[in-house]
Amino acid sequence: MDLLKELQEKAGLSNEQALKTFEILKEYVRGKVPGFLSGTVEKWFADIEKRAGAQGSAEESKDNDFLEH
């Protein structure tokens, strides 16, 4: 399950609220890691955003999820 869907279902947020929360979370995490890791954080969040808009299968998303490895 992607992060945006979880924010909507578990926190009861609208799509707009979930997107704003996602952006805030991304900025927060980026601000907490050393500068040399900011590119990695950007990739993580870009992957989450890509999966949120992707029409691929759940198994495909799981294979590409860095948290699953």
Side-chain angles (χ1 to χ4, degrees), residues 17-47:
Q17 291 170 321
L19 288 170
K20 185 66 175 172
T21 301
F22 178 81
E23 289 300 319
I24 292 169
L25 180 60
K26 180 169 69 170
E27 291 301 316
Y28 178 82
V29 171
R30 190 172 31 194
K32 294 295 181 180
V33 299
F36 69 92
L37 290 177
S38 64
T40 302
V41 171
E42 284 297 318
K43 182 184 179 330
W44 291 346
F45 281 93
D47 288 346

mmCIF file of all heavy atoms in Angstrom, residues 17-47:
data_model
loop_
_atom_site.group_PDB
_atom_site.id
_atom_site.type_symbol
_atom_site.label_atom_id
_atom_site.label_comp_id
_atom_site.label_asym_id
_atom_site.label_seq_id
_atom_site.Cartn_x
_atom_site.Cartn_y
_atom_site.Cartn_z
ATOM 1 N N GLN A 17 -5.144 16.791 1.325
ATOM 2 C CA GLN A 17 -4.475 16.786 2.621
ATOM 3 C C GLN A 17 -3.333 15.764 2.645
ATOM 4 O O GLN A 17 -2.266 16.030 3.201
ATOM 5 C CB GLN A 17 -5.467 16.460 3.730
ATOM 6 C CG GLN A 17 -6.475 17.555 3.978
ATOM 7 C CD GLN A 17 -7.583 17.096 4.908
ATOM 8 O OE1 GLN A 17 -8.055 15.955 4.831
ATOM 9 N NE2 GLN A 17 -8.006 17.999 5.781
ATOM 10 N N ALA A 18 -3.555 14.597 2.044
ATOM 11 C CA ALA A 18 -2.519 13.572 1.996
ATOM 12 C C ALA A 18 -1.318 14.056 1.188
ATOM 13 O O ALA A 18 -0.166 13.833 1.588
ATOM 14 C CB ALA A 18 -3.078 12.276 1.403
ATOM 15 N N LEU A 19 -1.572 14.723 0.065
ATOM 16 C CA LEU A 19 -0.471 15.246 -0.749
ATOM 17 C C LEU A 19 0.327 16.299 0.013
ATOM 18 O O LEU A 19 1.563 16.304 -0.033
ATOM 19 C CB LEU A 19 -1.012 15.830 -2.054
ATOM 20 C CG LEU A 19 -1.504 14.818 -3.075
ATOM 21 C CD1 LEU A 19 -2.229 15.527 -4.212
ATOM 22 C CD2 LEU A 19 -0.359 13.984 -3.605
ATOM 23 N N LYS A 20 -0.356 17.186 0.722
ATOM 24 C CA LYS A 20 0.329 18.219 1.505
ATOM 25 C C LYS A 20 1.143 17.580 2.629
ATOM 26 O O LYS A 20 2.290 17.969 2.879
ATOM 27 C CB LYS A 20 -0.696 19.210 2.071
ATOM 28 C CG LYS A 20 -0.079 20.360 2.797
ATOM 29 C CD LYS A 20 0.717 21.231 1.851
ATOM 30 C CE LYS A 20 1.234 22.460 2.581
ATOM 31 N NZ LYS A 20 2.150 23.235 1.776
ATOM 32 N N THR A 21 0.572 16.591 3.294
ATOM 33 C CA THR A 21 1.283 15.876 4.354
ATOM 34 C C THR A 21 2.526 15.207 3.797
ATOM 35 O O THR A 21 3.600 15.244 4.410
ATOM 36 C CB THR A 21 0.358 14.834 5.007
ATOM 37 O OG1 THR A 21 -0.788 15.502 5.540
ATOM 38 C CG2 THR A 21 1.075 14.065 6.100
ATOM 39 N N PHE A 22 2.403 14.601 2.624
ATOM 40 C CA PHE A 22 3.533 13.951 1.960
ATOM 41 C C PHE A 22 4.652 14.962 1.703
ATOM 42 O O PHE A 22 5.821 14.688 1.975
ATOM 43 C CB PHE A 22 3.047 13.324 0.645
ATOM 44 C CG PHE A 22 4.128 12.668 -0.141
ATOM 45 C CD1 PHE A 22 4.566 11.395 0.168
ATOM 46 C CD2 PHE A 22 4.715 13.330 -1.205
ATOM 47 C CE1 PHE A 22 5.570 10.790 -0.566
ATOM 48 C CE2 PHE A 22 5.722 12.728 -1.944
ATOM 49 C CZ PHE A 22 6.148 11.459 -1.623
ATOM 50 N N GLU A 23 4.300 16.144 1.195
ATOM 51 C CA GLU A 23 5.298 17.180 0.915
ATOM 52 C C GLU A 23 5.985 17.652 2.199
ATOM 53 O O GLU A 23 7.202 17.843 2.225
ATOM 54 C CB GLU A 23 4.654 18.366 0.193
ATOM 55 C CG GLU A 23 4.252 18.058 -1.228
ATOM 56 C CD GLU A 23 5.418 17.642 -2.108
ATOM 57 O OE1 GLU A 23 6.508 18.238 -1.998
ATOM 58 O OE2 GLU A 23 5.243 16.707 -2.905
ATOM 59 N N ILE A 24 5.215 17.820 3.261
ATOM 60 C CA ILE A 24 5.782 18.232 4.545
ATOM 61 C C ILE A 24 6.735 17.158 5.072
ATOM 62 O O ILE A 24 7.840 17.463 5.538
ATOM 63 C CB ILE A 24 4.661 18.530 5.559
ATOM 64 C CG1 ILE A 24 3.897 19.781 5.132
ATOM 65 C CG2 ILE A 24 5.221 18.677 6.974
ATOM 66 C CD1 ILE A 24 2.607 20.007 5.904
ATOM 67 N N LEU A 25 6.312 15.912 4.978
ATOM 68 C CA LEU A 25 7.149 14.800 5.426
ATOM 69 C C LEU A 25 8.450 14.743 4.633
ATOM 70 O O LEU A 25 9.532 14.555 5.202
ATOM 71 C CB LEU A 25 6.377 13.487 5.294
ATOM 72 C CG LEU A 25 7.090 12.218 5.718
ATOM 73 C CD1 LEU A 25 7.483 12.267 7.183
ATOM 74 C CD2 LEU A 25 6.211 11.010 5.449
ATOM 75 N N LYS A 26 8.359 14.929 3.321
ATOM 76 C CA LYS A 26 9.555 14.901 2.476
ATOM 77 C C LYS A 26 10.530 16.001 2.887
ATOM 78 O O LYS A 26 11.729 15.754 3.038
ATOM 79 C CB LYS A 26 9.158 15.061 1.007
ATOM 80 C CG LYS A 26 10.344 15.054 0.063
ATOM 81 C CD LYS A 26 9.944 14.950 -1.385
ATOM 82 C CE LYS A 26 9.262 16.161 -1.925
ATOM 83 N NZ LYS A 26 9.087 16.126 -3.400
ATOM 84 N N GLU A 27 10.044 17.205 3.087
ATOM 85 C CA GLU A 27 10.906 18.316 3.502
ATOM 86 C C GLU A 27 11.508 18.061 4.875
ATOM 87 O O GLU A 27 12.680 18.362 5.122
ATOM 88 C CB GLU A 27 10.123 19.627 3.493
ATOM 89 C CG GLU A 27 9.752 20.094 2.108
ATOM 90 C CD GLU A 27 10.956 20.325 1.213
ATOM 91 O OE1 GLU A 27 11.953 20.922 1.677
ATOM 92 O OE2 GLU A 27 10.909 19.904 0.048
ATOM 93 N N TYR A 28 10.726 17.495 5.782
ATOM 94 C CA TYR A 28 11.203 17.206 7.124
ATOM 95 C C TYR A 28 12.347 16.194 7.086
ATOM 96 O O TYR A 28 13.392 16.411 7.683
ATOM 97 C CB TYR A 28 10.049 16.684 7.989
ATOM 98 C CG TYR A 28 10.484 16.314 9.383
ATOM 99 C CD1 TYR A 28 10.607 17.300 10.366
ATOM 100 C CD2 TYR A 28 10.768 14.998 9.723
ATOM 101 C CE1 TYR A 28 11.016 16.972 11.643
ATOM 102 C CE2 TYR A 28 11.179 14.670 11.003
ATOM 103 C CZ TYR A 28 11.310 15.652 11.959
ATOM 104 O OH TYR A 28 11.718 15.323 13.228
ATOM 105 N N VAL A 29 12.133 15.098 6.382
ATOM 106 C CA VAL A 29 13.164 14.056 6.299
ATOM 107 C C VAL A 29 14.413 14.605 5.625
ATOM 108 O O VAL A 29 15.531 14.378 6.104
ATOM 109 C CB VAL A 29 12.636 12.810 5.548
ATOM 110 C CG1 VAL A 29 13.757 11.814 5.269
ATOM 111 C CG2 VAL A 29 11.522 12.145 6.350
ATOM 112 N N ARG A 30 14.243 15.338 4.549
ATOM 113 C CA ARG A 30 15.391 15.909 3.837
ATOM 114 C C ARG A 30 16.191 16.832 4.762
ATOM 115 O O ARG A 30 17.414 16.877 4.699
ATOM 116 C CB ARG A 30 14.935 16.656 2.598
ATOM 117 C CG ARG A 30 16.095 17.048 1.723
ATOM 118 C CD ARG A 30 15.729 17.617 0.396
ATOM 119 N NE ARG A 30 14.478 18.351 0.406
ATOM 120 C CZ ARG A 30 13.824 18.718 -0.668
ATOM 121 N NH1 ARG A 30 14.296 18.429 -1.854
ATOM 122 N NH2 ARG A 30 12.708 19.375 -0.594
ATOM 123 N N GLY A 31 15.520 17.552 5.642
ATOM 124 C CA GLY A 31 16.195 18.450 6.571
ATOM 125 C C GLY A 31 16.897 17.746 7.716
ATOM 126 O O GLY A 31 17.736 18.340 8.390
ATOM 127 N N LYS A 32 16.566 16.488 7.944
ATOM 128 C CA LYS A 32 17.140 15.739 9.063
ATOM 129 C C LYS A 32 18.332 14.865 8.680
ATOM 130 O O LYS A 32 19.032 14.384 9.551
ATOM 131 C CB LYS A 32 16.073 14.852 9.719
ATOM 132 C CG LYS A 32 14.966 15.636 10.387
ATOM 133 C CD LYS A 32 15.506 16.419 11.558
ATOM 134 C CE LYS A 32 14.422 17.186 12.264
ATOM 135 N NZ LYS A 32 14.932 17.954 13.399
ATOM 136 N N VAL A 33 18.544 14.645 7.402
ATOM 137 C CA VAL A 33 19.662 13.787 6.985
ATOM 138 C C VAL A 33 20.841 14.658 6.558
ATOM 139 O O VAL A 33 20.664 15.806 6.156
ATOM 140 C CB VAL A 33 19.269 12.833 5.832
ATOM 141 C CG1 VAL A 33 18.141 11.902 6.261
ATOM 142 C CG2 VAL A 33 18.890 13.589 4.586
ATOM 143 N N PRO A 34 22.052 14.101 6.640
ATOM 144 C CA PRO A 34 23.216 14.848 6.160
ATOM 145 C C PRO A 34 23.067 15.188 4.680
ATOM 146 O O PRO A 34 22.401 14.474 3.920
ATOM 147 C CB PRO A 34 24.378 13.883 6.373
ATOM 148 C CG PRO A 34 23.896 12.881 7.357
ATOM 149 C CD PRO A 34 22.405 12.799 7.179
ATOM 150 N N GLY A 35 23.681 16.281 4.274
ATOM 151 C CA GLY A 35 23.567 16.769 2.903
ATOM 152 C C GLY A 35 23.882 15.742 1.838
ATOM 153 O O GLY A 35 23.224 15.688 0.803
ATOM 154 N N PHE A 36 24.872 14.883 2.099
ATOM 155 C CA PHE A 36 25.250 13.895 1.089
ATOM 156 C C PHE A 36 24.172 12.836 0.875
ATOM 157 O O PHE A 36 24.195 12.115 -0.116
ATOM 158 C CB PHE A 36 26.599 13.240 1.418
ATOM 159 C CG PHE A 36 26.586 12.338 2.623
ATOM 160 C CD1 PHE A 36 26.333 10.981 2.482
ATOM 161 C CD2 PHE A 36 26.845 12.837 3.883
ATOM 162 C CE1 PHE A 36 26.327 10.138 3.581
ATOM 163 C CE2 PHE A 36 26.851 12.007 4.995
ATOM 164 C CZ PHE A 36 26.594 10.641 4.844
ATOM 165 N N LEU A 37 23.195 12.755 1.769
ATOM 166 C CA LEU A 37 22.097 11.793 1.611
ATOM 167 C C LEU A 37 20.843 12.421 1.007
ATOM 168 O O LEU A 37 19.870 11.711 0.741
ATOM 169 C CB LEU A 37 21.730 11.166 2.960
ATOM 170 C CG LEU A 37 22.739 10.203 3.554
ATOM 171 C CD1 LEU A 37 22.268 9.731 4.919
ATOM 172 C CD2 LEU A 37 22.975 9.029 2.640
ATOM 173 N N SER A 38 20.855 13.721 0.775
ATOM 174 C CA SER A 38 19.637 14.371 0.286
ATOM 175 C C SER A 38 19.206 13.828 -1.074
ATOM 176 O O SER A 38 18.013 13.722 -1.354
ATOM 177 C CB SER A 38 19.804 15.887 0.230
ATOM 178 O OG SER A 38 20.798 16.246 -0.696
ATOM 179 N N GLY A 39 20.152 13.465 -1.919
ATOM 180 C CA GLY A 39 19.807 12.863 -3.209
ATOM 181 C C GLY A 39 19.090 11.531 -3.041
ATOM 182 O O GLY A 39 18.157 11.215 -3.783
ATOM 183 N N THR A 40 19.525 10.758 -2.059
ATOM 184 C CA THR A 40 18.887 9.470 -1.777
ATOM 185 C C THR A 40 17.461 9.688 -1.282
ATOM 186 O O THR A 40 16.537 8.990 -1.705
ATOM 187 C CB THR A 40 19.700 8.686 -0.738
ATOM 188 O OG1 THR A 40 21.025 8.496 -1.239
ATOM 189 C CG2 THR A 40 19.066 7.344 -0.430
ATOM 190 N N VAL A 41 17.285 10.665 -0.408
ATOM 191 C CA VAL A 41 15.946 10.975 0.098
ATOM 192 C C VAL A 41 15.042 11.398 -1.056
ATOM 193 O O VAL A 41 13.896 10.961 -1.149
ATOM 194 C CB VAL A 41 16.006 12.072 1.188
ATOM 195 C CG1 VAL A 41 14.612 12.555 1.559
ATOM 196 C CG2 VAL A 41 16.730 11.551 2.417
ATOM 197 N N GLU A 42 15.563 12.229 -1.949
ATOM 198 C CA GLU A 42 14.784 12.653 -3.115
ATOM 199 C C GLU A 42 14.355 11.443 -3.947
ATOM 200 O O GLU A 42 13.226 11.366 -4.400
ATOM 201 C CB GLU A 42 15.582 13.626 -3.978
ATOM 202 C CG GLU A 42 15.681 15.009 -3.416
ATOM 203 C CD GLU A 42 14.332 15.694 -3.288
ATOM 204 O OE1 GLU A 42 13.502 15.592 -4.204
ATOM 205 O OE2 GLU A 42 14.125 16.339 -2.250
ATOM 206 N N LYS A 43 15.274 10.492 -4.130
ATOM 207 C CA LYS A 43 14.952 9.286 -4.902
ATOM 208 C C LYS A 43 13.862 8.474 -4.202
ATOM 209 O O LYS A 43 12.939 7.996 -4.840
ATOM 210 C CB LYS A 43 16.187 8.427 -5.125
ATOM 211 C CG LYS A 43 15.877 7.194 -5.968
ATOM 212 C CD LYS A 43 17.064 6.291 -6.112
ATOM 213 C CE LYS A 43 16.810 5.051 -6.926
ATOM 214 N NZ LYS A 43 15.493 4.485 -6.925
ATOM 215 N N TRP A 44 13.967 8.313 -2.894
ATOM 216 C CA TRP A 44 12.952 7.567 -2.145
ATOM 217 C C TRP A 44 11.573 8.168 -2.361
ATOM 218 O O TRP A 44 10.621 7.464 -2.681
ATOM 219 C CB TRP A 44 13.255 7.566 -0.654
ATOM 220 C CG TRP A 44 14.454 6.770 -0.245
ATOM 221 C CD1 TRP A 44 15.139 5.847 -0.984
ATOM 222 C CD2 TRP A 44 15.116 6.849 1.010
ATOM 223 N NE1 TRP A 44 16.185 5.357 -0.253
ATOM 224 C CE2 TRP A 44 16.190 5.946 0.970
ATOM 225 C CE3 TRP A 44 14.907 7.601 2.156
ATOM 226 C CZ2 TRP A 44 17.045 5.763 2.053
ATOM 227 C CZ3 TRP A 44 15.754 7.418 3.229
ATOM 228 C CH2 TRP A 44 16.811 6.508 3.178
ATOM 229 N N PHE A 45 11.486 9.476 -2.179
ATOM 230 C CA PHE A 45 10.193 10.126 -2.308
ATOM 231 C C PHE A 45 9.710 10.170 -3.752
ATOM 232 O O PHE A 45 8.515 10.060 -4.005
ATOM 233 C CB PHE A 45 10.222 11.520 -1.667
ATOM 234 C CG PHE A 45 10.098 11.470 -0.166
ATOM 235 C CD1 PHE A 45 11.225 11.443 0.631
ATOM 236 C CD2 PHE A 45 8.853 11.421 0.430
ATOM 237 C CE1 PHE A 45 11.113 11.378 2.017
ATOM 238 C CE2 PHE A 45 8.733 11.362 1.812
ATOM 239 C CZ PHE A 45 9.866 11.333 2.614
ATOM 240 N N ALA A 46 10.626 10.288 -4.696
ATOM 241 C CA ALA A 46 10.238 10.242 -6.107
ATOM 242 C C ALA A 46 9.671 8.862 -6.441
ATOM 243 O O ALA A 46 8.687 8.744 -7.184
ATOM 244 C CB ALA A 46 11.426 10.568 -7.009
ATOM 245 N N ASP A 47 10.295 7.817 -5.872
ATOM 246 C CA ASP A 47 9.793 6.454 -6.093
ATOM 247 C C ASP A 47 8.398 6.293 -5.501
ATOM 248 O O ASP A 47 7.526 5.664 -6.100
ATOM 249 C CB ASP A 47 10.741 5.417 -5.487
ATOM 250 C CG ASP A 47 12.038 5.257 -6.247
ATOM 251 O OD1 ASP A 47 12.138 5.747 -7.399
ATOM 252 O OD2 ASP A 47 12.975 4.653 -5.690
#
